Amino acid sequence: MRKKIVAGNWKMNGSLELVNNLLPRLVEVSEETQAQILVCPPAPYLTQAQALAGDKVAVGAQNCSEQASGAFTGEVSVSMLTELGMSHVLIGHSERRAIYSETDALVVAKVKAAVEAGLVAVLCVGETLEQREAGHTLGVVLGQIKVVLDELTVEQWSQLVVAYEPVWAIGTGKTATSAQAQDVHQAIRQQLAGYDVQQAEAVSILYGGSVKASNAGELFAQPDIDGALVGGASLVAEEFISICRQAD
Ligand code: 13P
């Protein structure tokens, strides 16, 4: 059966002190839960996070280059991430799409590079408020996923996690209701089943957008919600630990 995953996306927040304080606590929590805990701190902290994470807590990057190496100032390659022991990388976060103009084509190239390097790609998708209000939620979300699925083999899905993050729910305090989230997650599962019925059941689909200790339980109770991608609350030890415990 598919894994429950609780992932923390620190974005451009945190400090070495937070890494040093939080990681040992997460290692303790990982002993008590079946869920996979994943921490994605900013790139300069990856090595230290990995050194403290042991083999139960996974560490991932927030981005990677689609290029293998070369004159790409400021970029980080997938082989550098694997060399450091990273297991996951977030790809296509709405902030990367909106602020850094990442296109679907670039997202596909990054997912392919990550998967081919042996990383798990956490593919982030989601609609804006305008798109939701225009009734385009499923069209947008399933479209963002289709371009990736069309370029992967079903065997490579073992290295794919989907994170549904409605843009209007990110950092706004407005969570999608568990029913709204489940509707989209179910549609994603059906989309996957259109490619392979059996393997569709094995892909973890995470929800992200203002997840906190107080709403995680209800979200996790939905049949197609397999965990969370947590932003702000992943920087607060008690909040994030509570979310991890609720994922079991
Ligand atoms: P918040 O949990 O702060 O809304 O952020 C969600 C997110 O973007 C995680 O990737």
Side-chain angles (χ1 to χ4, degrees):
M1 208 39 199
R2 56 189 177 260
K3 254 193 223 145
K4 295 266 188 196
I5 303 172
V6 179
N9 173 11
W10 291 16
K11 311 191 178 185
M12 200 170 74
N13 296 299
S15 61
L16 201 51
E17 189 185 358
L18 184 65
V19 173
N20 288 335
N21 289 336
L22 188 56
L23 267 292
R25 296 197 58 194
L26 295 180
V27 170
E28 280 172 26
V29 175
S30 72
E31 301 292 339
E32 303 159 18
T33 168
Q34 295 299 310
Q36 169 74 69
I37 300 175
L38 167 65
V39 181
C40 301
Y45 303 138
L46 288 171
T47 322
Q48 177 67 359
Q50 180 62 24
L52 296 174
D55 49 13
K56 283 277 189 75
V57 174
V59 180
Q62 296 173 14
N63 185 25
C64 66
S65 174
E66 78 288 8
Q67 302 287 344
S69 66
F72 301 103
T73 301
E75 294 290 291
V76 173
S77 75
V78 288
S79 64
M80 293 167 189
L81 297 177
T82 55
E83 191 182 8
L84 294 183
M86 299 312 131
S87 51
H88 292 68
V89 58
L90 308 183
I91 296 177
H93 191 280
S94 63
E95 288 149 20
R96 304 271 347 147
R97 292 178 192 258
I99 306 170
Y100 299 101
S101 308
E102 289 198 4
T103 60
D104 272 341
L106 183 60
V107 168
V108 171
K110 288 184 176 196
V111 170
K112 283 186 79 174
V115 167
E116 280 161 16
L119 292 163
V120 175
V122 181
L123 170 67
C124 305
V125 296
E127 82 288 3
T128 62
L129 185 58
E130 210 176 23
Q131 290 165 332
R132 173 164 282 263
E133 285 175 347
H136 296 154
T137 298
L138 292 184
V140 169
V141 169
L142 301 186
Q144 288 170 337
I145 298 172
K146 181 180 188 301
V147 289
V148 171
L149 294 181
D150 286 348
E151 293 294 324
L152 294 183
T153 65
V154 170
E155 289 69 40
Q156 289 173 319
W157 290 9
S158 61
Q159 291 166 254
L160 181 70
V161 170
V162 177
Y164 168 56
E165 300 200 300
V167 177
W168 48 271
I170 294 177
T172 57
K174 272 191 221 159
T175 326
T177 63
S178 51
Q180 281 174 321
Q182 167 59 24
D183 281 350
V184 178
H185 283 231
Q186 188 178 32
I188 296 170
R189 186 88 57 207
Q190 279 166 358
Q191 179 186 31
L192 293 165
Y195 290 74
D196 188 302
V197 174
Q198 210 180 345
Q199 292 310 313
E201 292 300 315
V203 175
S204 298
I205 308 175
L206 315 184
Y207 170 79
S210 298
V211 176
K212 17 185 201 289
S214 58
N215 59 24
E218 202 190 328
L219 289 161
F220 294 163
Q222 302 302 312
D224 290 297
I225 299 184
D226 307 313
L229 180 54
V230 186
S234 71
L235 299 161
V236 182
E238 294 316 321
E239 280 282 318
F240 191 61
I241 289 169
S242 168
I243 296 168
C244 292
R245 290 203 166 113
Q246 292 180 60
D248 248 343

